[in-house]
Amino acid sequence: MADLSAVLLLFALFMYLALDGTDLGVGMLFSVFPDAQVRKWMVHTLLPVWDANETWLVLLAGGMLALFPPLYSEVLQRLMVPLFLFLLLLFTRALALSYRAQVGERGQRWLDRLLMLSSLGASFLPGWLAGQVLISRPPVGIVLDTSLVPVLCGAGLVALDLLMGCCWMCWRIGKPIEERARLIAGFWWIVMIACLLGVILLEPTLWRISAQRWPGMIALCAVTGLLIAQGLALWREAMVMALMLSLALIGGMMVALAAGLYPWLLPEQLAMDSAASNPVTQRVVVIAMLILLPLIIIYHTWSFWIFKRKE
C-alpha cells in the first residue's frame, strides 16, 4: 500500500510538472516576444487551462499530508520559506494573467513584467527544491544550501519549461512566431542537456543505483532515446512531436530518480514504510485518489477540447 501511495503522489507531481511547466514556459517567453498582438495570443492560449493545471499541486500536497505525514512535516519545516515564495509566485502569475485585459497599456507592461518574473521563479524553485532533497544526507534532514547541484536542477527545469513553451506556441499560434520560437527551443534544448549532464556528474549516486535496477535502467535508456528524438524533432521542425517527447522525458526522469531513491523518501533518512500513515488511512486516501484522478483527467481533456481552437 505504501508503494501504491508513493506511485500516486509521483503521478500527481508528474502531471503538475508536465502541464503547468508549459504554462510557465509561455510566461517566461514574454521577454522575447514584445509585440502586443503576439502577447495577446500567448495569453489567450493559457487562460482556458492554466488554473486547472494547478489542481495536481493541491492533490500532491493533500496526498502527502495524508499518506506520508513525516515527509510532509520534514519538507514543510525545512523548506518553508522557498515553498511560501513558490506559492506567492503562482499567485502573482495568476494576478497578471487574470487582470491583464482589465488595465491600460501601461498597466499591461507592468503585469507582463510580473508574469515573466513570477513564471521564472515558479519554474526554477521546484527544480531547486528537488535538488535540495537529492543532495541531502543523514543525519541532518533536508539541507538548504546554494550548492551547484540544486542550481543546475532549477536551471534545467527552467530550460525544459521554456522548450515546452516554445513548442506550445508553435502549435497554438503558428506562423507569426514559429521561426523565432524554433530557434529559442533549440537553444534551451542544449542548455537542458548541459544541466542534466552536470547534475549526473556532480551527484552520481542516485543515478548509479537507478542504473542497477531494471525500472531505472529502462528509464535511463528511454531518457537517452527521448533526448535524441527531441533533437531530431526540433531539427525537422516537428514542434508538436517535440512537446510530446518533452512530456515523456519528464516521466522518464521521474521514474529514473524514483528507482534510485527506492525505498527511501529522503535518501538514507526516511524510509517509505516507516513514514507511511496507518493502513486504514492509506486505504481510504488511495481509494479516494483512484476515484479523483480519472475525473480530473477527464475534466482536463474536456476543457482542452472545448478551447482547442487557435486564438
Side-chain angles (χ1 to χ4, degrees), residues 237-249:
E237 300 180 358
M239 303 305 286
V240 177
M241 177 59 68
L243 177 60
M244 298 301 107
L245 291 170
S246 299
L247 302 181
L249 179 65

Side-chain angles (χ1 to χ4, degrees), residues 51-157:
D51 53 344
N53 294 341
E54 293 176 4
T55 306
W56 298 101
L57 193 62
V58 177
L59 188 65
L60 173 65
M64 187 187 300
L65 173 61
L67 295 170
F68 298 103
L71 176 63
Y72 183 89
S73 175
E74 183 70 21
V75 169
L76 193 63
Q77 178 183 357
R78 301 281 182 172
L79 304 177
M80 182 184 301
V81 173
L83 283 173
F84 174 79
L85 179 59
F86 172 64
L87 295 176
L88 179 62
L89 290 168
L90 290 179
F91 169 77
T92 55
R93 180 190 66 152
L95 180 70
L97 282 172
S98 299
Y99 287 93
R100 187 179 183 278
Q102 313 302 323
V103 298
E105 184 178 344
R106 183 178 179 183
Q108 283 188 358
R109 288 198 297 268
W110 281 105
L111 288 178
D112 288 349
R113 295 187 187 105
L114 182 63
L115 177 61
M116 287 183 277
L117 292 175
S118 58
S119 297
L120 175 61
S123 178
F124 176 82
L125 277 175
W128 184 73
L129 292 172
Q132 301 291 341
V133 174
L134 295 181
I135 65 172
S136 296
R137 292 293 181 266
V140 291
I142 301 175
V143 181
L144 190 61
D145 63 22
T146 55
S147 60
L148 187 56
V149 171
V151 172
L152 285 176
C153 289
L157 187 57

Side-chain angles (χ1 to χ4, degrees), residues 21-274:
T22 303
D23 299 348
L24 295 172
V26 174
M28 287 184 282
L29 287 169
F30 267 58
S31 59
V32 292
F33 290 96
D35 183 81
Q37 182 60 49
V38 172
R39 287 186 172 184
K40 182 179 179 181
W41 290 333
M42 291 166 70
V43 170
H44 284 178
T45 67
L46 298 183
L47 286 176
V49 295
W50 71 267
D51 53 344
N53 294 341
E54 293 176 4
T55 306
W56 298 101
L57 193 62
V58 177
L59 188 65
L60 173 65
M64 187 187 300
L65 173 61
L67 295 170
F68 298 103
L71 176 63
Y72 183 89
S73 175
E74 183 70 21
V75 169
L76 193 63
Q77 178 183 357
R78 301 281 182 172
L79 304 177
M80 182 184 301
V81 173
L83 283 173
F84 174 79
L85 179 59
F86 172 64
L87 295 176
L88 179 62
L89 290 168
L90 290 179
F91 169 77
T92 55
R93 180 190 66 152
L95 180 70
L97 282 172
S98 299
Y99 287 93
R100 187 179 183 278
Q102 313 302 323
V103 298
E105 184 178 344
R106 183 178 179 183
Q108 283 188 358
R109 288 198 297 268
W110 281 105
L111 288 178
D112 288 349
R113 295 187 187 105
L114 182 63
L115 177 61
M116 287 183 277
L117 292 175
S118 58
S119 297
L120 175 61
S123 178
F124 176 82
L125 277 175
W128 184 73
L129 292 172
Q132 301 291 341
V133 174
L134 295 181
I135 65 172
S136 296
R137 292 293 181 266
V140 291
I142 301 175
V143 181
L144 190 61
D145 63 22
T146 55
S147 60
L148 187 56
V149 171
V151 172
L152 285 176
C153 289
L157 187 57
V158 169
L160 178 58
D161 287 349
L162 282 163
L163 169 59
M164 292 193 297
C166 290
C167 296
W168 172 267
M169 288 171 57
C170 287
W171 180 23
R172 305 297 294 155
I173 298 177
K175 290 183 179 180
I177 53 87
E178 274 183 338
E179 184 176 356
R180 180 182 293 185
R182 284 196 296 264
L183 292 175
I184 297 170
F187 171 78
W188 288 111
W189 176 73
I190 295 171
V191 173
M192 178 188 66
I193 292 177
C195 291
L196 175 59
L197 291 176
V199 171
I200 293 174
L201 292 174
L202 293 171
E203 190 66 29
T205 305
L206 286 178
W207 306 98
R208 188 181 302 117
I209 296 173
S210 181
Q212 295 171 355
R213 298 169 174 172
W214 67 265
M217 186 185 305
I218 294 173
L220 289 172
C221 291
V223 166
T224 304
L226 288 168
L227 288 171
I228 296 172
Q230 258 187 333
L232 291 174
L234 292 173
W235 179 63
R236 295 174 63 88
E237 300 180 358
M239 303 305 286
V240 177
M241 177 59 68
L243 177 60
M244 298 301 107
L245 291 170
S246 299
L247 302 181
L249 179 65
I250 294 174
M253 291 290 296
M254 293 183 66
V255 172
L257 288 172
L261 272 173
Y262 188 83
W264 304 99
L265 295 172
L266 292 178
E268 302 177 33
Q269 301 178 68
L270 194 61
M272 191 179 298
D273 290 335
S274 63

